[in-house]
Amino acid sequence: MEQTPKQRTESRGAGVKGALAALAGRLSGRESVPWLLAGAFGALFAGTPLLWGAYPLGLALLCAAVQETPAVFVGLCLGAVLPWGGGFAYVVVYMVALLARLLLSVPPVRDKLPVRGEGYFGEPLQARVAVCLLVSLAAAAYEIAVSTLTQETLLFGIGTVVGSTVLCLVFWGLFSRGITADDLLGHAGARREGVRTKERLALEAGALALLFFGAYGLRAAELFGMNLGYLFSAACSLWVARRFGALRGCAAGLVVGMAVDTLYSPAFGVLGLLCGALWPLGSFYSLCIGAASGIAWCAYVGGLSGFLGVAPEITVAALLSAPLMPRLYSSAIAEEVRQDRQAAEEAVEEYTDTCRDNTVERLAGALDGLGEMLGRQADTPDGESCFALCDEICTRYCASCPGRGGCWDSRERPASVALGLMAARLAAGQTFSVGDMPTPLISSCERLEALLGEVRLAGARLWREKGHGDGGAARGYRLMAGAMRRASERQRGETAANPQAAKKIRHLLAEKGLRPSAVRVQGRRRTRVVISSPELAGKKEALDALHPALEGACGCRLSAPVHEAQGGMTVALLESAPRYFLDVAFAAGTADGSGVSGDTLTTFSSPDGYFYLLVSDGMGSGALAARTSGTCTLYMERMLAAGADTEASLQLLNHLLTSRREECSATLDLLEFDTLRGGAAFLKSGAAASYIRREGNLFRLRSRTVPLGIVEEVDTERLEFDTQAGDVVVMVTDGVSQTSEDAPWLIEFLSGPLGGDLQGVANAILTRAKEQNGSRDDLTVVVARVHSA
């Protein structure tokens, strides 16, 4: 169907917009490399006279280019107006050629040509050669007209016409298939498919010609005393050898070197040949041997002058290429690289699946073994029972209080407000403290803390007396489900990918010659690095040598690599290694010298890099207190060693204790120490204060919480702090620290010199505690020091 004028206008507008969008995309990121190089060659060719004073290189390049045509034009204009350029007249020539090509590539004209092109500056070869021939003829005629016909002007015209036309045909072979960043820099999939032999020969001939004339244009230029033609020839031979193989690198070195000096051109051929052939040994060795061989040839054929004239350029080219060459892929093995990388990725995926953290499975097993510990649960007491209980206790406490009227009969009636709050909290299974009470009551009631303590204990008895299975069991299942969900979230965080670290590691491996490497880095806190490559089996020492650099890329300390065979590949696994560890000593004593202590202490580790110190003090003393604290430590050890979350584990433990028929409560003092990162946290439920000694300074960490098993909602405070090597952590039970304000003698003791004997410190604290407090309660002292791994 024929388009209307409006539709044709819209279609052209859309084509222009699409072309501009494509241009913007090519000018950004990796794809800007071909444009920058095209502009650089344009600027160079604009100042390179070739035949009898003519400058045919620039016009030939402008007519041969396709997508890079704007960049070539800008470079030509810039080079022409510079002091070494051909002059402003060539700017006019380039502008005429550009406008002619643009006219032939716009849709109205392009559609009428016998052979259609593709897009802007995509005319067929015949149209480009015609433009080049006509523009060069016009330029030659103009020169002859303004300078009269002489032998020089005639040769100039012949050089312009013949050189431009022939070189346009040669350069066209390079641009005929388009040039991408992957063609220049390499990529696992950069091998060109479907290129016939004739087209490939044309492409390679065009590329070789471009490099040859690039070196020719730089043959007389110097920078810091170095010949830029030699430097360019050495860099080209290294790039071609790495990108396209040793033989092509040798050929490129020979041909490009001839543009500068035929005597030394074999040196660049040797450089390309040896670097390409010896690359599997590593970039350092290949560059050193290749450069040394090229320099030796120059010294052999040119003596001292040859050595001094070319050695600096080859050396500088090798040094500049050292960080860049490992990131290129050889086109000759591109398909092999792609297949090897795919196999390596599959090996990493399979190995990662087999090594996947099974925290949830371990947690399910731990819950299975502990399920028998769950008894029949308590139904929630009704609000009336809770109110009656609180009212009875308040009445008993307030009966003999001289300030009773101010609490009950004043306009604010703070006692009534407190009674309602306590009853509501008890009915909901929640805890309360002095800070929750009305302010007038806190300032006037001297027995408030004792009253609240009795209400909490009586409330716990009421919950047990209201025993009924369904409600408590439902709560138990909800808590277990919550523990499973939190463990699953934690596991997902440890399997999250870190692509930035993986990219850094791939670059490090490429520099060691491990090109087709698959790398996966997982984990936010606990890092796991999996590396696979078909070349890894023979280069384990290279990977070991990279160990410090791998740690820098991941930002953590890593274990030594463990190598395993996986699906025909060699897989190396590195995991976060501990940066710190705790040296622990403890001392304990029983109440009145009896043989059974109600305090229980345990230390253990979890698979995710945490070390735990756990102290539990069963309420009272003797066998019942020991059984309660033992249950708490066993429960927490199994849950945390299985990878469970600490808060979820405490909620389940508290539910276990409150569900028992007998009165059963215990304090819990848990130190969670991160051996991978160095941080630590205390979780305290009714526990005594703990102390941290750092560089002569003493810090006290305490919380005002009730023990586990008192109320249905767990009352725990988490106190996080940073650690460093040399810190000393002291944990005690309330048999050592008798009051809420702690023992002044203990603070004085810990503020003085402690020495290096931790066991001696623990024994000294226990001895002083017995002297100060007697043996009315069980006593436990734990002293730990942080060390760098």
Side-chain angles (χ1 to χ4, degrees):
M1 181 181 295
E2 186 176 355
Q3 291 182 324
T4 64
K6 180 179 179 181
Q7 289 174 330
R8 286 195 294 269
T9 302
E10 292 176 352
S11 177
R12 293 170 192 167
V16 173
K17 290 180 181 177
L20 292 176
L23 177 62
R26 288 189 170 273
L27 290 177
S28 61
R30 179 184 173 95
E31 289 303 323
S32 65
V33 174
W35 284 66
L36 294 175
L37 290 177
F41 274 102
L44 177 63
F45 286 174
T48 304
L50 191 59
L51 297 172
W52 304 295
Y55 291 80
L57 288 172
L59 182 58
L61 184 65
L62 180 63
C63 292
V66 185
Q67 297 167 339
E68 300 79 11
T69 301
V72 172
F73 174 75
V74 173
L76 286 171
C77 293
L78 181 63
V81 299
L82 291 175
W84 56 82
F88 184 76
Y90 278 92
V91 176
V92 177
V93 172
Y94 301 143
M95 188 173 297
V96 171
L98 179 73
L99 293 175
R101 289 197 59 195
L102 182 62
L103 179 63
L104 292 175
S105 62
V106 295
V109 179
R110 182 178 64 201
D111 295 342
K112 294 177 181 180
L113 293 176
V115 181
R116 296 185 180 182
E118 297 180 358
Y120 292 95
F121 301 112
E123 322 94 279
L125 174 62
Q126 299 91 322
R128 301 189 205 182
V129 174
V131 169
C132 186
L133 179 60
L134 293 174
V135 173
S136 61
L137 281 172
Y142 173 80
E143 181 66 22
I144 293 173
V146 298
S147 302
T148 69
L149 180 61
T150 63
Q151 182 180 358
E152 289 77 11
T153 57
L154 182 60
L155 290 176
F156 173 87
I158 294 174
T160 300
V161 175
V162 175
S164 300
T165 307
V166 172
L167 289 174
C168 177
L169 288 170
V170 175
F171 290 152
W172 174 83
L174 173 63
F175 295 101
S176 60
R177 300 279 296 189
I179 301 176
T180 65
D182 286 342
D183 294 328
L184 298 173
L185 305 179
H187 188 270
R191 173 185 279 272
R192 288 179 175 267
E193 302 295 340
V195 181
R196 292 176 296 182
T197 303
K198 184 185 296 186
E199 294 175 339
R200 186 176 296 280
L201 289 176
L203 188 151
E204 292 180 357
L208 199 57
L210 186 72
L211 297 179
F212 176 87
F213 288 113
Y216 181 81
L218 293 170
R219 70 193 185 284
E222 290 189 355
L223 181 66
F224 303 121
M226 290 186 295
N227 185 284
L228 295 184
Y230 289 141
L231 187 64
F232 180 80
S233 300
C236 287
S237 62
L238 288 173
W239 169 69
V240 175
R242 174 60 178 149
R243 179 68 184 85
F244 300 101
L247 294 179
R248 286 182 171 84
C250 178
L254 287 171
V255 174
V256 177
M258 287 180 184
V260 186
D261 193 328
T262 55
L263 181 64
Y264 298 125
S265 62
F268 304 111
V270 170
L271 174 64
L273 178 65
L274 292 181
C275 285
L278 300 178
W279 195 263
L281 297 178
S283 60
F284 176 77
Y285 297 106
S286 64
L287 289 172
C288 287
I289 295 174
S293 301
I295 293 172
W297 172 267
C298 296
Y300 172 72
V301 299
L304 182 61
S305 62
F307 174 81
L308 297 177
V310 185
E313 287 82 351
I314 294 180
T315 303
V316 171
L319 291 174
L320 294 177
S321 301
L324 302 176
M325 293 296 110
R327 291 168 171 79
L328 302 181
Y329 282 103
S330 170
S331 180
I333 62 168
E335 183 62 24
E336 178 185 346
V337 167
R338 188 191 65 78
Q339 294 176 356
D340 286 344
R341 171 158 290 177
Q342 182 178 357
E345 293 284 358
E346 292 174 354
V348 167
E349 184 68 30
E350 185 176 351
Y351 188 80
T352 303
D353 289 340
T354 59
C355 295
R356 200 173 299 279
D357 193 352
N358 58 346
T359 300
V360 175
E361 288 78 8
R362 291 198 307 267
L363 178 57
L367 289 172
D368 232 7
L370 296 168
E372 59 184 0
M373 301 173 67
L374 299 175
R376 294 182 63 82
Q377 311 299 314
D379 192 11
T380 57
D382 57 83
E384 293 182 2
S385 301
C386 293
F387 186 86
L389 176 67
C390 295
D391 185 53
E392 187 272 329
I393 295 174
C394 288
T395 301
R396 178 156 40 84
Y397 268 82
C398 297
S400 58
C401 179
R404 182 182 186 283
C407 297
W408 290 94
D409 301 331
S410 65
R411 183 166 58 180
E412 292 83 5
R413 302 187 68 187
S416 298
V417 175
L419 177 60
L421 185 146
M422 288 187 292
R425 292 284 182 90
L426 280 184
Q430 300 173 350
T431 187
F432 46 84
S433 63
V434 174
D436 298 321
M437 299 297 108
T439 303
L441 198 63
I442 296 175
S443 59
S444 61
C445 184
E446 298 178 356
R447 305 179 65 192
L448 182 59
E449 184 145 5
L451 184 150
L452 296 182
E454 186 169 339
V455 171
R456 284 194 291 262
L457 289 174
R461 297 190 191 98
L462 181 62
W463 274 79
R464 296 189 183 93
E465 292 170 358
K466 291 279 186 180
H468 190 277
D470 294 340
R475 176 174 174 78
Y477 284 123
R478 286 195 299 271
L479 291 175
M480 286 188 285
M484 297 288 283
R485 283 194 297 271
R486 297 184 73 161
S488 180
E489 292 171 1
R490 191 171 180 178
Q491 183 179 7
R492 281 197 297 271
E494 294 305 325
T495 56
N498 187 343
Q500 291 80 14
K503 182 178 179 180
K504 293 178 182 178
I505 292 175
R506 278 194 294 270
H507 287 168
L508 292 171
L509 296 175
E511 293 174 357
K512 289 295 182 180
L514 297 173
R515 293 185 306 274
S517 302
V519 180
R520 178 169 297 183
V521 181
Q522 294 179 323
R524 296 192 182 99
R525 175 187 151 271
R526 182 166 54 103
T527 302
R528 173 183 284 127
V529 181
V530 184
I531 304 172
S532 177
S533 172
E535 302 177 359
L536 193 60
K539 295 193 176 183
K540 295 180 180 180
E541 295 79 8
L543 187 60
D544 293 337
L546 278 176
H547 195 269
L550 296 178
E551 292 182 331
C554 295
C556 66
R557 187 167 179 263
L558 294 174
S559 63
V562 178
H563 300 269
E564 295 186 19
Q566 186 76 30
M569 289 280 176
T570 300
V571 177
L573 172 67
L574 301 89
E575 296 183 293
S576 292
R579 297 177 60 184
Y580 303 94
F581 69 93
L582 286 180
D583 186 15
V584 182
F586 67 92
T590 58
D592 300 323
S594 61
V596 180
S597 174
D599 297 345
T600 303
L601 165 68
T602 186
T603 62
F604 57 93
S605 300
S606 67
D608 49 0
Y610 285 105
F611 179 80
Y612 294 96
L613 270 172
L614 175 59
V615 180
S616 180
D617 180 7
M619 292 297 97
S621 60
L624 178 60
R627 187 164 61 249
T628 303
S629 62
T631 299
C632 293
T633 54
L634 173 64
Y635 191 98
M636 292 300 293
E637 179 178 355
R638 291 205 180 167
M639 292 292 287
L640 298 180
D645 182 78
T646 50
E647 284 78 4
S649 301
L650 283 171
Q651 290 177 352
L652 280 166
L653 174 59
N654 186 69
H655 183 68
L656 167 66
L657 296 177
T658 56
S659 67
R660 290 188 171 187
R661 298 287 182 180
E662 59 186 354
E663 291 189 14
C664 181
S665 60
T667 67
L668 185 134
D669 200 0
L670 175 67
L671 173 64
E672 181 183 67
F673 180 69
D674 188 348
T675 63
L676 304 180
R677 303 290 180 176
F682 275 112
L683 282 88
K684 291 181 175 291
S685 290
S690 299
Y691 304 87
I692 301 173
R693 171 74 179 269
R694 174 179 296 175
E695 297 177 350
N697 299 313
L698 186 66
F699 304 90
R700 180 176 63 180
L701 286 82
R702 63 176 181 175
S703 69
R704 296 186 180 277
T705 52
V706 298
L708 298 173
I710 301 295
V711 292
E712 188 68 17
E713 287 293 330
V714 64
D715 186 22
T716 303
E717 187 171 357
R718 182 181 180 90
L719 306 172
E720 297 183 353
F721 59 98
D722 294 328
T723 60
Q724 63 184 39
D727 287 355
V728 176
V729 180
V730 178
M731 302 168 63
V732 298
T733 57
D734 57 5
V736 177
S737 179
Q738 290 287 327
T739 67
S740 60
E741 295 301 324
D742 304 315
W745 64 267
L746 179 58
I747 296 176
E748 180 183 355
F749 176 83
L750 295 176
S751 299
L754 297 181
D757 183 9
L758 295 186
Q759 189 60 56
V761 174
N763 293 336
I765 294 175
L766 182 67
T767 302
R768 288 286 301 274
K770 289 181 178 179
E771 294 173 356
Q772 296 287 334
N773 306 328
S775 299
R776 299 188 299 273
D777 196 359
D778 300 317
L779 305 96
T780 300
V781 180
V782 183
V783 184
R785 178 176 279 118
V786 180
H787 293 276
S788 296

